[in-house]
Amino acid sequence: MSTTSIYRRIARRETHSPRSALAITLAVILILVSVWLGTEIVLSMIGQPALLVAPTDAEQSIVSAATLPYGILLAAGIVLAIVGLVLVIASLTAGRRARHVIETDRAVTVVDNNVIAAALARHAAYAGGTDPDNTHVSVFHNRAVVDVTPSSGTTSDTAPIKDAVDQQLDAYGMRPKLRSKITVKKTGKVGA
């Protein structure tokens, strides 16, 4: 196995989250329902009262479900279809962690989005001539959103901030590549 394929596997493992929590939750729910059904059947066989619903009553309810109003049956079917669709989509798509990979030849470098946001905020504040506390950056999968609030009585130009942020993003060489969106607020912040 080559080094690049190992690096690729490590990078994927660090940037994508497994669906373990969903699988464990569904397994626990199925186990609890199975235990409950088994308990109800055993209680029915030995002539004891049911915990929640006796198997014969449950069977009668299912058989008589066709007599319910059409709207209720349609709504229940739609809800079940949506739950099933969500579970199928969740099982087929990979979860994403808030991390990016920096391209290097010798190692796998994974950087958290909060670290990227802090670095971009510092550079954007310097380029815009604002206080770093007045700069807020949110980093998503393929986008960095920079919100700058200038000090009261001053203005900040968007172009130098965008240039500084884009230059930093290019220098980092992240995968997937981030695009920047800069927003300079019209009203300033007092005291900064």
Side-chain angles (χ1 to χ4, degrees), residues 19 22 26 84-94:
R19 295 295 188 191
L22 179 62
L26 288 175
L85 184 64
V86 166
L87 289 175
V88 167
I89 290 172
S91 69
L92 296 177
T93 58

Side-chain angles (χ1 to χ4, degrees), residues 8-182:
R8 212 178 2 243
R9 276 186 32 215
I10 292 171
R12 176 149 174 85
R13 185 177 298 150
E14 290 297 322
T15 57
H16 290 76
S17 64
R19 295 295 188 191
S20 304
L22 179 62
I24 290 169
T25 303
L26 288 175
V28 167
I29 290 171
L30 288 174
I31 289 169
L32 291 175
V33 168
S34 298
V35 167
W36 170 70
L37 286 174
T39 304
E40 293 291 2
I41 290 171
V42 169
L43 288 174
S44 175
M45 290 172 65
I46 62 174
Q48 296 295 318
L51 294 175
L52 297 176
V53 178
T56 54
D57 294 340
E59 178 186 357
Q60 288 298 333
S61 297
I62 292 171
V63 169
S64 65
T67 62
L68 290 174
Y70 178 73
I72 293 175
L73 290 175
L74 182 64
I78 289 172
V79 167
L80 287 175
I82 290 173
V83 168
L85 184 64
V86 166
L87 289 175
V88 167
I89 290 172
S91 69
L92 296 177
T93 58
R96 298 228 19 113
R97 291 183 178 166
R99 299 176 183 168
H100 281 78
V101 176
I102 293 179
E103 294 290 335
T104 58
D105 294 332
R106 298 179 355 170
V108 177
T109 307
V110 179
V111 182
D112 191 74
N113 284 357
N114 291 333
V115 174
I116 298 167
L120 290 177
R122 186 178 69 244
H123 289 286
Y126 180 73
T130 63
D131 189 78
D133 291 337
N134 294 348
T135 306
H136 177 74
V137 179
S138 299
V139 177
F140 302 100
H141 176 63
N142 58 0
R143 190 173 33 131
V145 178
V146 180
D147 293 321
V148 178
T149 305
S151 297
S152 183
T154 63
T155 59
S156 293
D157 189 20
T158 305
I161 298 171
K162 181 154 181 62
D163 291 341
V165 169
D166 288 342
Q167 184 180 13
Q168 284 303 310
L169 290 175
D170 290 340
Y172 297 154
M174 286 180 283
R175 190 181 73 225
K177 188 167 176 56
L178 292 174
R179 292 175 289 125
S180 65
K181 179 184 177 209
I182 312 299

